[in-house]
């Protein structure tokens, strides 16, 4: 009540306020009935029996009644409670409820309805996936905030010199017409425009001078030199305003350290046999040569005893934009060098070959060595690659600078040009799809459907099953990773127990990482990793094929680029167990205790040692692998929906007709002109 009002009227005022609020809610329900009867709800409840003019009159009366309610409240000096619930929060709550309802469509929640065939299960997973993807996209859009608004991102990118005028016009038409199915593609194009990264990975044998070379290229001694690195992961060097070091672990969350602590994780002195279970290292430094988006990767040396490190180096090959193979002038070309060049060739990644420590050779010997290396590469790979002599020695530093300025900078510039061309091609394809959609509205209005119902049903079914495959692949990867813990343990037990029949008797024996246990365990883990990698790569290929076929059936120009989904299968976490060491009692001792009792004693001893020295590493690694597979399948699903959402919208529209008014036809014509299309 207003200040000074009669307290005896408090309950009367409260009743009056509640009554007015109730009337206002009923008016809102009337508005809901009017909106529902004229909306495109999937399950209509009301039959529309009023004209548009009658609806307008009803809405005018509602406005008048609400105005009167306000006057009544003000006249009685009654204050209303201010709103306390944010619209975004209310929408998020309802989106969460929708997501839960969609989740319950999945087959694992419907077992009580009887046997569900595999094809039906895939369909159900697809239906749930489609609904959840749309809900997720809406929730993400709601939570982006002003900083992620399309208009702001476009203006920022255009201010940086990007030619995005056509994309800006496309965005205006999409926003004007409420064509939300195009927003995901616009968002993906903006992400592509904002990403200017160019990754150069340096490969070579241990002590070939990779770290020294990178320190010289970036102009700072950030990488430790003079020691043999044993960390089984590459060290990525990127640009940032402040120096920092981010380290990921197999059995703990990633942590940030001071850059001076790099040696604690990448040198044998401070991290012998990778006892800290490091899986990834990222160094951030403010260096001008990194400011244009280029990043360098120092990979573990090939030919070392750190098998996990060598395997991770070879696994990293498909992820870089340019591979630099460093050959030590003191040892010339090796089989590992040739294998690296061949792997880069198979991955279609440009390769540069450098002869390091060229200051150790005089001019004739240097020329002779360069010729030999080049000829050997041609004979082994069929590639005629130039070999550049480089050195970090001050007297020969100009060789390194010349290579970077004359060879690397043009490649980077060319890569950026290719990226810009690709970006414009994607924008052009998006424009064609939008034009087709608008023109299709005109064709449908004239009762000339663009496609037949059978084709569009096939497209919808194909896309739904592909969505279901994403869900099923993610589940299969998680189950595979979970099962690997037990499988590795069984392998460990069998290999360690089998070793009791070998070697000298009379004393405990150590089975080290050079022996059968390490070999068998690594083989089992690698088989599990390969199975998971095959699952996600098969998914990537399937999604690519289904989208291309659907786009062809719908005559849509915008299709995924070659290997667009396979390129998401990167950064697979490496596995390096460090030293695997098991001590088992001698065979004579266990035999003396009796076969049955001796075997039980042996099993308990090996089991305990597994838990103490290796179990946590295995569990931590496969936990990370589960997270990796979930992240990759999520990224694939998000990219798939970017295309599929528009394809589905086009498929739904194609066989349906809807009369357009003259004004609506004229508005579409104007939008087509904005897009540069003559109607």
């Amino acid at each position: 009540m207003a200040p000074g009002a009669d307290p005896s009227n408090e309950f009367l005022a409260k009743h009056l306020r509640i009554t007015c609020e109730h009337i206002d809610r009923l008016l809102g329900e009337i508005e809901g009935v009017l909106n529902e009867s004229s909306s495109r709800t999937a399950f209509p409840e009301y039959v529309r029996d009023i004209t548009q003019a009658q609806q307008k009159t009803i809405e005018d009366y509602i406005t008048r009644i609400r105005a009167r309610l306000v006057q009544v409240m003000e006249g009685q000096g009654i204050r209303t409670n201010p709103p306390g619930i944010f619209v975004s929060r209310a929408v998020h709550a309802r989106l969460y409820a929708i997501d839960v309802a969609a989740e319950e469509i999945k087959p694992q929640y419907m077992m009580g309805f009887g046997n569900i065939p595999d094809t039906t299960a895939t369909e159900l997973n697809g239906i749930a996936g489609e609904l959840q993807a749309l809900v997720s996209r809406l929730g993400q859009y709601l939570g982006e905030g002003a900083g992620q608004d399309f208009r702001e991102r476009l203006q920022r990118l255009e201010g940086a010199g990007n030619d995005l005028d056509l994309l800006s016009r496309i965005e205006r038409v999409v926003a004007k017409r409420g064509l939300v199915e195009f927003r995901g593609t616009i968002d993906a194009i903006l992400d592509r425009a904002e990403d200017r990264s160019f990754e150069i990975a340096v490969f070579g044998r241990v002590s070939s001078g990779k770290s020294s070379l990178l320190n010289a290229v970036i102009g700072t001694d950030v990488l430790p030199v003079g020691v043999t690195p044993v960390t089984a992961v590459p060290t990525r060097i990127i640009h940032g305003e402040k120096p920092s070091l981010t380290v990921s672990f197999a059995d703990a969350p990633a942590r940030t350290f001071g850059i001076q602590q790099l040696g604690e994780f990448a040198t044998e002195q401070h991290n012998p046999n990778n006892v800290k279970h490091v899986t990834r290292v990222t160094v951030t430094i403010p260096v001008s040569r990194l400011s244009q988006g280029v990043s360098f990767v120092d990979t573990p040396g090939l030919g070392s005893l750190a098998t996990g490190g060598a395997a991770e180096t070879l696994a990293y090959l498909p992820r870089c934009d340019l591979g630099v193979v460093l050959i030590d002038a003191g040892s010339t070309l090796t089989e590992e060098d040739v294998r690296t060049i061949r792997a880069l060739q198979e991955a279609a990644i440009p390769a540069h070959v450098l002869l390091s420590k060229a200051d150790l050779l005089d001019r004739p010997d240097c020329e002779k060595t360069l010729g030999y290396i080049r000829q050997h590469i041609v004979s082994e790979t069929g590639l005629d690659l130039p070999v550049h002599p480089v050195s970090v020695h001050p007297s020969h530093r100009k060789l390194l600078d010349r290579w970077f300025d004359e060879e690397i900078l043009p490649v980077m510039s060319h890569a950026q040009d290719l990226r810009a061309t690709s970006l414009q091609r994607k924008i052009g394809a998006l424009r064609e799809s939008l034009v087709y959609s608008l023109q299709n509205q005109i064709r449908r209005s004239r009762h000339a459907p663009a496609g037949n119902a059978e084709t569009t049903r096939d497209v919808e079914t194909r896309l739904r099953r592909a969505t279901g495959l994403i869900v099923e692949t993610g589940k299969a990867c998680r189950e595979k990773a979970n099962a690997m813990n037990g499988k590795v343990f069984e392998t460990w037990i069998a290999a360690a127990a089998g070793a009791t029949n070998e070697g000298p008797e009379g004393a405990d024996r150590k089975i080290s990482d050079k022996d059968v246990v390490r070999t068998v365990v690594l083989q089992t883990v690698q088989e599990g990793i390969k199975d998971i990698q095959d699952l996600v790569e098969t998914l990537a290929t399937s999604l690519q094929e289904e989208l291309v076929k659907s786009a062809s059936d719908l005559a849509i120009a915008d299709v995924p680029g070659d290997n667009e989904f396979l390129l998401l299968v990167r950064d697979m976490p490496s596995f390096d167990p460090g030293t695997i060491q098991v001590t088992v009692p001698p065979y004579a001792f266990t035999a003396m205790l009796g076969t049955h009792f001796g075997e039980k004693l042996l099993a308990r001893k090996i089991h305990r040692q597994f838990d103490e020295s290796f179990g946590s590493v295995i569990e931590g690694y496969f936990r990370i692998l589960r997270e990796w597979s979930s992240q990759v399948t999520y990224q694939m699903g998000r990219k798939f929906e970017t295309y599929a959402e528009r394809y589905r919208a086009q498929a739904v529209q194609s066989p349906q007709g809807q009369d357009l008014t003259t004004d609506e036809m004229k508005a579409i014509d104007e939008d087509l002109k904005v897009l540069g299309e003559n109607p």
Side-chain angles (χ1 to χ4, degrees):
M1 294 186 63
D6 186 354
S8 63
N9 291 328
E10 178 181 350
F11 296 105
L12 176 62
K14 183 177 181 180
H15 177 72
L16 183 57
R17 175 175 58 79
I18 291 174
T19 300
C20 289
E21 289 176 352
H22 178 62
I23 292 171
D24 188 54
R25 278 193 293 271
L26 292 174
L27 293 173
E29 291 178 11
I30 293 173
E31 287 179 320
V33 170
L34 294 174
N35 292 332
E36 192 272 348
S37 65
S38 60
S39 71
R40 297 181 181 178
T41 177
F43 306 100
E45 183 178 356
Y46 306 103
V47 178
R48 186 169 180 82
D49 61 347
I50 61 173
T51 65
Q52 194 68 33
Q54 287 176 313
Q55 177 170 336
K56 178 64 169 60
T57 301
I58 294 171
E59 290 171 347
D60 290 341
Y61 271 110
I62 289 174
T63 301
R64 184 70 59 84
I65 294 171
R66 281 183 167 145
R68 185 58 183 157
L69 289 175
V70 172
Q71 292 172 354
V72 168
M73 297 287 285
E74 291 178 347
Q76 296 298 316
I78 302 172
R79 293 177 178 172
T80 58
N81 295 326
I85 302 174
F86 292 104
V87 171
S88 59
R89 185 182 302 170
V91 173
H92 272 303
R94 284 155 179 80
L95 288 177
Y96 177 76
I98 295 172
D99 185 78
V100 171
E103 177 71 17
E104 292 177 352
I105 295 175
K106 292 180 178 178
Q108 61 262 40
Y109 302 107
M110 302 183 73
M111 295 301 182
F113 295 95
N115 181 52
I116 300 176
D118 290 343
T119 54
T120 304
T122 302
E123 286 268 348
L124 291 173
N125 278 320
I127 293 169
E130 287 177 355
L131 293 172
Q132 289 178 316
L134 287 169
V135 169
S136 175
R137 195 177 293 280
L138 175 54
Q140 182 181 10
Y141 170 75
L142 194 61
E144 281 175 347
Q148 293 296 316
D149 180 74
F150 284 159
R151 291 275 84 216
E152 287 193 14
R153 295 177 71 188
L154 276 167
Q155 291 171 4
R156 183 171 63 252
L157 287 166
E158 287 174 334
N162 295 277
D163 182 14
L164 299 176
D165 175 66
L166 177 56
L167 184 62
S168 181
R169 285 183 276 135
I170 289 172
E171 192 277 333
R172 289 200 300 272
V173 172
V174 166
K176 173 184 174 183
R177 301 220 151 262
L179 300 173
V180 295
E181 63 268 22
F182 289 93
R183 296 185 69 88
T185 305
I186 296 174
D187 193 31
I189 290 175
L190 289 174
D191 288 342
R192 191 180 184 92
E194 290 171 336
D195 179 16
R196 301 182 61 84
S197 62
F198 184 84
E199 193 163 273
I200 303 173
V202 182
F203 305 96
R205 288 176 57 83
V206 169
S207 301
S208 60
K210 298 186 306 298
S211 298
S212 297
L213 175 80
L214 286 176
N215 282 339
V217 168
I218 61 181
T220 178
D221 293 332
V222 63
L223 296 172
V225 295
V227 295
T228 301
V230 295
T231 305
V233 290
T235 299
R236 184 180 286 106
I237 310 167
I238 64 175
H239 180 267
E241 295 300 324
K242 296 181 179 179
S244 67
L245 171 68
T246 302
V247 182
S248 299
F249 303 91
D251 49 7
R255 294 178 59 192
T256 300
F257 301 89
I259 201 169
Q260 69 279 4
Q261 295 178 265
L262 176 60
E264 297 180 19
F265 306 98
T267 64
E268 185 176 7
Q269 179 183 0
H270 298 290
N271 187 19
N273 295 318
N274 194 20
V275 295
K276 298 179 181 178
H277 305 146
V278 176
T279 61
R280 183 178 304 172
V281 176
T282 301
V283 177
T284 303
I285 51 175
V287 173
S288 59
R289 272 187 171 168
L290 304 177
S291 60
Q292 297 303 313
V294 64
S295 60
F296 288 97
V297 181
D298 185 18
T299 64
L302 296 169
S304 68
L305 297 178
T307 306
E312 170 63 16
T313 294
L314 294 175
Y316 193 83
L317 281 166
R319 309 175 197 169
C320 59
D321 297 295
L322 173 67
V324 175
V325 181
L326 203 58
I327 299 171
D328 191 336
S331 62
T332 193
L333 197 68
T334 67
E335 180 57 33
E336 283 86 1
D337 298 327
V338 173
R339 190 183 302 119
T340 303
I341 295 171
R342 190 179 293 120
L344 288 167
Q345 178 187 19
E346 292 171 354
I349 296 172
H352 279 223
V353 181
L354 302 181
L355 181 66
S356 68
K357 306 176 185 177
D359 58 288
L360 299 178
L361 304 174
D362 58 26
R363 193 177 190 86
D365 286 342
C366 185
E367 292 294 335
K368 183 178 179 180
T369 302
L370 293 174
Y372 165 76
I373 292 173
R374 185 171 178 176
Q375 183 179 2
H376 195 173
I377 293 173
V378 171
S379 64
E380 293 290 337
T381 67
L383 295 174
D384 187 9
L385 298 176
V387 182
H388 303 276
V390 295
S391 172
V392 299
H393 195 277
S395 63
H396 291 68
R397 180 62 183 270
K398 61 182 180 181
L399 293 174
L400 181 61
D401 292 336
R402 183 188 305 157
W403 164 73
F404 190 87
D405 294 339
E406 296 180 3
E407 300 295 334
I408 296 301
L409 291 181
V411 170
M412 288 173 53
S413 177
H414 181 60
Q416 297 294 357
D417 290 341
L418 289 177
R419 187 167 297 174
T421 301
S422 173
L423 190 67
Q424 292 304 318
R425 187 162 51 245
K426 296 291 287 184
I427 295 173
L430 174 60
R431 171 196 167 278
E432 289 185 36
S433 295
L434 181 55
V435 166
Y436 181 85
S437 178
L438 295 175
Q439 290 176 337
N440 205 26
Q441 291 184 35
I442 297 175
R443 285 192 292 266
R444 293 197 314 274
S445 178
R446 294 169 179 166
H447 307 289
N452 61 70
E454 184 178 352
T455 298
T456 56
R457 278 197 302 270
D458 288 345
V459 169
E460 289 178 314
T461 300
R462 187 184 302 122
L463 295 176
R464 181 172 299 120
R465 287 177 178 170
T467 302
L469 185 61
I470 297 171
V471 176
E472 292 171 351
T473 300
K475 180 182 178 183
C477 288
R478 291 190 296 272
E479 291 176 347
K480 178 73 69 174
N482 289 336
M484 284 305 299
N485 280 321
K487 188 173 182 180
V488 172
F489 173 68
E490 292 171 3
T491 302
W492 168 287
I493 292 292
T500 60
N501 297 316
E502 303 174 1
E505 299 182 356
D508 284 7
R509 299 188 307 283
K510 290 186 177 181
I511 304 166
S512 71
D513 59 337
K514 297 180 182 179
D515 297 306
V516 64
V517 177
R518 178 182 177 89
T519 301
V520 174
V521 167
L522 283 176
Q523 182 178 354
T524 303
V525 173
Q526 292 300 331
E527 287 174 356
I529 294 172
K530 182 66 166 55
D531 288 345
I532 292 175
Q533 186 170 5
D534 287 346
L535 283 171
V536 295
E537 288 182 351
T538 299
L539 174 64
T541 302
S542 299
L543 296 181
Q544 182 95 12
E545 292 174 350
E546 298 297 352
L547 288 174
V548 170
K549 180 65 168 63
S550 298
S552 175
D553 289 348
L554 295 172
I556 292 177
D558 188 16
V559 297
D562 293 342
N563 297 324
E564 189 166 326
F565 285 87
L566 277 173
L567 290 174
L568 296 174
V569 188
R570 358 180 0 153
D571 293 329
M572 194 169 190
S574 61
F575 175 71
D576 177 24
T579 299
I580 298 178
Q581 184 168 298
V582 184
T583 303
V584 298
Y587 179 72
F589 176 70
T590 56
M592 182 179 66
L593 295 176
T595 303
H596 181 68
F597 184 77
E599 287 178 351
K600 289 182 65 176
L601 175 65
L602 176 66
R604 284 200 300 269
K605 185 177 183 65
I606 296 175
H607 193 162
R608 184 173 62 253
Q609 291 182 22
F610 178 86
D611 289 339
E612 292 174 352
S613 63
F614 194 54
S616 62
V617 176
I618 285 291
E619 184 178 356
Y621 173 73
F622 281 107
R623 174 177 55 80
I624 289 178
L625 195 59
R626 281 196 306 272
E627 294 172 356
W628 174 84
S629 62
S630 296
Q631 182 64 22
V632 169
T633 52
Y634 168 77
Q635 290 173 347
M636 285 189 191
R638 186 175 178 187
K639 181 176 285 291
F640 177 81
E641 282 300 319
T642 296
Y643 293 97
E645 188 177 358
R646 288 190 292 108
Y647 294 3
R648 292 191 196 99
Q650 193 65 61
V652 169
Q653 294 171 0
S654 293
Q656 298 175 352
Q658 180 181 357
D659 292 333
L660 298 175
T661 66
T662 302
D663 288 342
E664 289 171 336
M665 296 275 283
K666 186 182 296 184
I668 292 177
D669 288 344
E670 291 299 322
D671 289 338
L672 290 171
K673 290 178 182 178
V674 168
L675 297 172
E677 182 73 12
N678 293 322

